[in-house]
Amino acid sequence: MASVPPDRPATSRPLDAPARTPLQAQIVARFTALITSGRLPAGARVPSLRTLATELGVARGTVQAAYDRLVGEGLLEARGPAGTFVAAVTTGSAPARTQALRASPSAAPDADPLLDLDAPHPPALRMGLPALDAFPRKLWSRLVGRQARAMGTAALLKPEPAGLPRLREAIAVHLHRARGVAAQAGQVFIVPGYEAGLALTVAALLRAGDTAVVECPGFPPTPRLLGRLGLQVVHAPVDGEGLQVGPVRQQAPGARLVVVTPTHQSPGGMALTLARRRALLDWAAHDGPWIVEDDYDGEYHFRGPPLPALKSLDRDGRVIHAGTFSKVLFPGLRLAYVVVPPACVPAFEAAARTTAHGGCPSLTQAVVADFIEQGHLGRHVRRMRTLYAQRRAWLAEALAPLAPRGVRTVLGDGGMHLLIELPAGSDDRACARRAQAAGLGVLPLSAWRGQGTGPPALLAGFTNITSATVARQLVEGLGVAIG
């Protein structure tokens, strides 16, 4: 194999093809380690897609997907025809960032294989994946074709950093109707995924060394990304009412950021109570932390209408509302958004021009704008709400016979997954490994706890269960894995 140029240290050594970790994830882990250790310095140009794909012997799309993730995490910066470079915010003169990476277990560059939420072919019971069989593909194809045929010169240029104005307006209107969020189009910023939105928020509002609070248990990529961005991460406990605001306010009085999932806690499933919401907003108003409201599946509520967004209660301009189309449409879309307070718009505009993600394809944004404006999104969400309630019931019914073995099913009021509590003393990681070896995509709750502890449980998605018979078959295999 050709020698590796000195400005590309170790980027081209062979990947481990037989490993269970996907090739894309191996590339991401390799570049993350090289960048955070300083072996790939800020400003260094990384290999082109074609060059690295050839050197590694992988598909160009695999490298593209890996680079997209690294760009979304703020580690790389796409500069159009000039190439892709190591982002200036990742290394160099930021000792606090390096210290945070070394000190925080959540910031380790090597992700737990039991938490591979980006597997290219997610198996049965995988959480976070919408019902792919129910997506209106024919309608979507017509919209794509119409936009492609009407595509003008503007669509061929580099997309606007903040997003297509028509899509920003459509999202603002949709959120006002569906989630009670009152915002102007200029407050909406389009990003290629939730993590890119979080990175944009940090770039606009925070500095290296600031303290960020995350839920425990909580979405694992959140503390990992915040650690990589140089923040000190504090894991705050949750209970049946959501984030315990009082204790964490005392534990981290100088926190500059709080990331919460108030509508449907990830992964517990409970909603943040009104009293806790008011306490959180009061903390933000008096002590100044920004609140990122991760509304990842707030549309799916099975007992009454969806809860209003936390941002709809924000009177002091402290809440950044983060949403994604990955859960309501499909994850391959790579399209999300953040809605920011009016006073923060200039800071986000400046950050959007300089951060690494480089904007989202104009054609994709135009198609999503059509989908929203023509009422298809609202109708699709309503259909999925009914469908998911049925599929959740199928899985819960199939799990019921395991109750005598000490297995308990926990149903929240909404969401796209449920919690399966295991008998005391069980090893949920071992159970998850056995289940995954059998083709079931359940995840262990213990891997979501960060520094916390708690009873063993599994997380199981129900959105792609197509019948009661399929649910019983899946649970039969799961029962074997539980032992």
Side-chain angles (χ1 to χ4, degrees):
M1 188 176 70
S3 61
V4 180
D7 61 337
R8 297 177 186 172
T11 58
S12 303
R13 70 175 187 269
L15 299 174
D16 186 4
R20 292 184 61 188
T21 303
L23 297 177
Q24 175 200 136
Q26 292 184 46
I27 296 172
V28 170
R30 174 179 298 179
F31 273 81
T32 300
L34 291 171
I35 293 170
T36 56
S37 67
R39 294 167 65 191
L40 267 181
R45 188 178 188 276
V46 300
S48 67
L49 298 176
R50 179 178 299 175
T51 298
L52 189 59
T54 300
E55 291 175 344
L56 298 179
V58 300
R60 183 172 173 177
T62 300
V63 178
Q64 176 73 69
Y67 275 15
D68 285 346
R69 286 184 58 184
L70 290 163
V71 167
E73 293 180 4
L75 296 174
L76 294 182
E77 178 179 1
R79 299 182 186 172
T84 303
F85 297 79
V86 177
V89 296
T90 57
T91 58
S93 61
R97 183 182 307 280
T98 302
Q99 182 62 31
L101 285 165
R102 292 174 178 169
S104 173
S106 62
D110 296 324
D112 189 332
L114 287 174
L115 295 176
D116 181 14
L117 304 178
D118 297 314
H121 302 290
L125 301 180
R126 173 72 71 179
M127 66 178 294
L129 191 68
L132 301 182
D133 63 306
F135 182 73
R137 300 187 187 190
K138 291 183 178 179
L139 168 63
W140 186 262
S141 297
R142 288 200 301 271
L143 296 177
V144 171
R146 186 176 305 154
Q147 279 295 336
R149 288 189 295 272
M151 190 167 61
T153 303
L156 304 179
L157 301 176
K158 186 176 181 180
E160 299 182 46
L164 188 71
R166 192 162 65 87
L167 178 58
R168 300 171 75 186
E169 177 66 34
I171 291 174
V173 172
H174 168 73
L175 289 177
H176 187 252
R177 293 173 179 170
R179 309 294 294 121
V181 174
Q184 301 298 316
Q187 297 172 242
V188 180
F189 289 80
I190 311 300
V191 289
Y194 161 74
E195 293 186 26
L198 191 57
L200 178 65
T201 300
V202 172
L205 301 177
L206 281 79
R207 297 178 298 179
D210 283 346
T211 298
V213 173
V214 299
E215 297 169 319
C216 183
F219 186 52
T222 296
R224 287 204 300 266
L225 174 59
L226 293 176
R228 288 170 182 162
L229 294 175
L231 304 185
Q232 300 292 335
V233 179
V234 173
H235 296 260
V238 299
D239 57 20
E241 297 182 22
L243 180 74
Q244 297 183 28
V245 180
V248 74
R249 187 172 180 176
Q250 295 179 350
Q251 179 186 1
R256 298 297 300 147
L257 184 73
V258 181
V259 184
V260 292
T261 50
T263 302
H264 178 249
Q265 200 275 332
S266 176
M270 74 290 291
L272 190 66
T273 63
L274 181 59
R276 294 275 178 92
R277 292 176 184 230
R278 287 174 174 165
L280 181 59
L281 292 171
D282 179 73
W283 180 23
H286 286 84
D287 297 343
W290 299 100
I291 301 170
V292 171
E293 175 186 21
D294 179 5
D295 199 42
Y296 73 105
D297 60 1
E299 297 87 353
Y300 301 124
H301 200 74
F302 307 126
R303 299 176 187 172
L307 295 174
L310 178 66
K311 187 164 182 62
S312 67
L313 304 176
D314 180 24
R315 300 293 178 263
D316 297 288
R318 305 305 300 177
V319 177
I320 292 91
H321 181 89
T324 175
F325 292 106
S326 294
K327 304 297 187 294
V328 294
L329 297 179
F330 56 93
L333 195 60
R334 298 299 297 156
L335 204 65
Y337 54 87
V338 291
V339 183
V340 310
C344 297
V345 168
F348 274 79
E349 288 178 339
R353 288 192 295 269
T354 58
T355 50
H357 68 74
C360 302
S362 299
L363 178 61
T364 302
Q365 294 188 65
V367 174
V368 175
D370 285 346
F371 196 80
I372 298 173
E373 290 171 349
Q374 296 174 21
H376 303 306
L377 179 61
R379 287 190 290 272
H380 181 65
V381 168
R382 289 191 292 272
R383 285 196 299 268
M384 292 305 98
R385 195 177 295 144
T386 301
L387 180 66
Y388 290 168
Q390 177 63 76
R391 294 184 173 185
R392 184 179 79 147
W394 284 337
L395 182 56
E397 291 168 3
L399 287 166
L402 298 182
R405 295 165 53 182
V407 176
R408 176 174 172 264
T409 303
V410 180
L411 296 176
D413 289 340
M416 299 167 63
H417 72 274
L418 52 75
L419 203 63
I420 304 172
E421 293 187 349
L422 303 178
S426 298
D427 184 342
D428 58 3
R429 288 176 178 259
C431 290
R433 290 190 186 95
R434 291 192 294 268
Q436 291 183 9
L440 304 175
V442 295
L443 298 173
L445 179 59
S446 61
W448 289 56
R449 288 198 175 98
Q451 301 166 344
T453 60
L458 299 174
L459 304 168
F462 51 76
T463 53
N464 285 280
I465 295 175
T466 54
S467 70
T469 299
V470 169
R472 288 192 293 270
Q473 293 171 345
L474 295 174
V475 170
E476 185 175 328
L478 185 60
V480 173
I482 293 174

